[in-house]
């Protein structure tokens, strides 16, 4: 199910703060404030709502890749514009700014199409939220991550603490929360915070190859499969079992291409592929 959330602030959703490049089924979405290390300000957060709405309905986007311009994925929340200037306007402004940022991360988490975070460089604090929201993540070996909140006197909010609790072991999460030390892409991969890391010069090609693998799959099944995983994580065993039956049956109804039947036919009758080794051919 899609979670919809519209910008709550009056921030101008400046188109330039996020760019989109379409390339053979992939929409490369780039946080584009390189001079500010792609820190997330209210304008960027508002723009991301519009971008996600646009891409959901755009067939040029079959896989969404989220990355950052220049040497940064994102330096987290914009300390000046998101915190200091918003707080100066009072607590309602703060709540609205929170709704905008949390809103687009939630929207990304339940996006209709597969999503990949391509962590090209600095990734601090609040940037762990869109990182987590993406289904998959690939980092440059050289990327630097940090839960830097402790360094300027706050706890990791914006659900970053919850993200770390879900993705890291307790020892690792508390270590980085309490020390604010940075770690690189290799370490992020070792801790399973990202799926893998590769040398920076190979990053885009590796993400492209991953996206191409996803492009071969039935898109409705991908959406159902990723949502099912994210839902059952929070369910007791029997509820999960029942939910998965119902989710598959709803997919059977939604998929007018009858992919499941095609998949069986091409293996059992046509003998044109092996499901253990790759995807069936979609018509
Ligand atoms: N908020 C606002 N402005 C920022 C941020 C940020 N999070 N990160 C960088 N900038 C701005 C700097 O103020 C500077 O602006 P200026 O050119 O107008 O002076 C510009 O981006 C470049 O920053 P430098 O620090 O000069 O860049 P450098 O490449 O040397 O360092 C680094 C990059 C390490 C990312 C550094 O900018 C930094 O530590 N940023 C803050 C990281 C952080 O802790 N983010 C907050 C996490 S907590 C949270 O998100 C809730």
């Amino acid at each position: 199910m899609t979670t919809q959330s519209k910008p709550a602030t009056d921030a101008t959703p400046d188109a330039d703060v996020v760019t989109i490049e379409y390339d053979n089924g992939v929409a490369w979405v780039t946080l584009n404030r390189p001079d500010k290390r792609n820190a997330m300000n209210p304008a960027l957060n508002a723009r991301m709502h519009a971008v996600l709405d646009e891409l959901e309905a755009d067939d040029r986007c079959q896989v969404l890749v989220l990355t950052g311009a220049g040497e940064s994925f994102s330096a987290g929340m914009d300390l000046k514009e998101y915190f200091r200037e918003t707080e100066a306007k009072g607590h309602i402004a703060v709540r609205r700014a929170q709704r905008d940022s949390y809103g687009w991360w939630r929207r990304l988490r339940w996006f209709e199409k597969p999503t990949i975070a391509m962590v090209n460089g600095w990734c601090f604090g609040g940037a762990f939220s869109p990182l987590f929201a993406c289904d998959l993540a690939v980092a440059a070996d050289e990327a630097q991550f940090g839960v830097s909140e402790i360094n300027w006197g706050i706890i990791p909010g914006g659900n970053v603490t919850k993200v770390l609790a879900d993705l890291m072991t307790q020892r690792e999460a508390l270590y980085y929360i309490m020390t604010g030390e940075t770690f690189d892409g290799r370490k992020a991969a070792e801790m399973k915070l990202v799926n893998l890391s590769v040398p920076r010069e190979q990053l885009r090609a590796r993400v492209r190859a991953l996206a191409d693998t996803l492009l071969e799959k039935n898109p409705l099944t991908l959406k159902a499969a990723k949502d099912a995983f994210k839902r059952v994580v929070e369910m007791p065993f029997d509820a999960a079992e029942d939910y998965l039956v119902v989710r598959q049956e709803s997919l059977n109804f939604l998929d007018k291409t009858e992919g499941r039947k095609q998949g069986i036919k091409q293996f059992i009758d046509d003998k044109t592929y092996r499901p253990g080794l790759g995807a069936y051919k979609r018509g």
Side-chain angles (χ1 to χ4, degrees), residues 35-37 39 71 75-79 83 122 124-126 148-149 152:
D35 292 350
K36 301 292 181 187
R37 306 299 180 259
E71 64 204 58
M77 308 319 293
D78 188 308
L79 271 54
F83 287 110
W122 302 115
F124 284 107
S148 56
E149 283 87 339
W152 61 284

Side-chain angles (χ1 to χ4, degrees), residues 62-79:
Q62 295 299 322
V63 174
L64 185 159
V65 176
L66 182 70
T67 190
E71 64 204 58
S72 200
F73 176 68
S74 169
M77 308 319 293
D78 188 308
L79 271 54

Side-chain angles (χ1 to χ4, degrees), residues 30 35 45 48 89 99 113 124 132 139 171 176 178 182 187-188 194 200 211-212 225 234 243 256 259 271 278:
T30 303
D35 292 350
N45 293 330
M48 277 306 299
K89 294 179 190 162
R99 280 207 296 278
K113 302 162 185 185
F124 284 107
F132 172 76
R171 287 281 178 235
Y176 289 107
M178 294 171 74
T182 57
K187 180 71 183 171
V194 298
R200 185 176 274 135
D212 285 340
E234 294 176 353
Y243 172 83
K256 303 304 177 206
K271 300 195 183 304

Side-chain angles (χ1 to χ4, degrees), residues 121-190:
W122 302 115
C123 178
F124 284 107
F128 280 65
S129 287
L131 168 67
F132 172 76
C134 289
D135 305 319
L136 304 172
V138 184
D141 291 342
E142 301 87 342
Q144 290 288 325
F145 297 74
V147 192
S148 56
E149 283 87 339
I150 196 76
N151 290 338
W152 61 284
I154 68 164
I155 65 169
N159 246 353
V160 170
T161 295
K162 172 68 174 155
V163 164
L164 298 178
D166 281 3
L167 290 183
M168 288 159 83
T169 66
Q170 181 169 320
R171 287 281 178 235
E172 285 162 339
L174 282 174
Y175 183 87
Y176 289 107
I177 287 171
M178 294 171 74
T179 65
E181 279 179 22
T182 57
F183 52 92
D184 66 12
R186 280 196 201 91
K187 180 71 183 171
E190 184 192 314

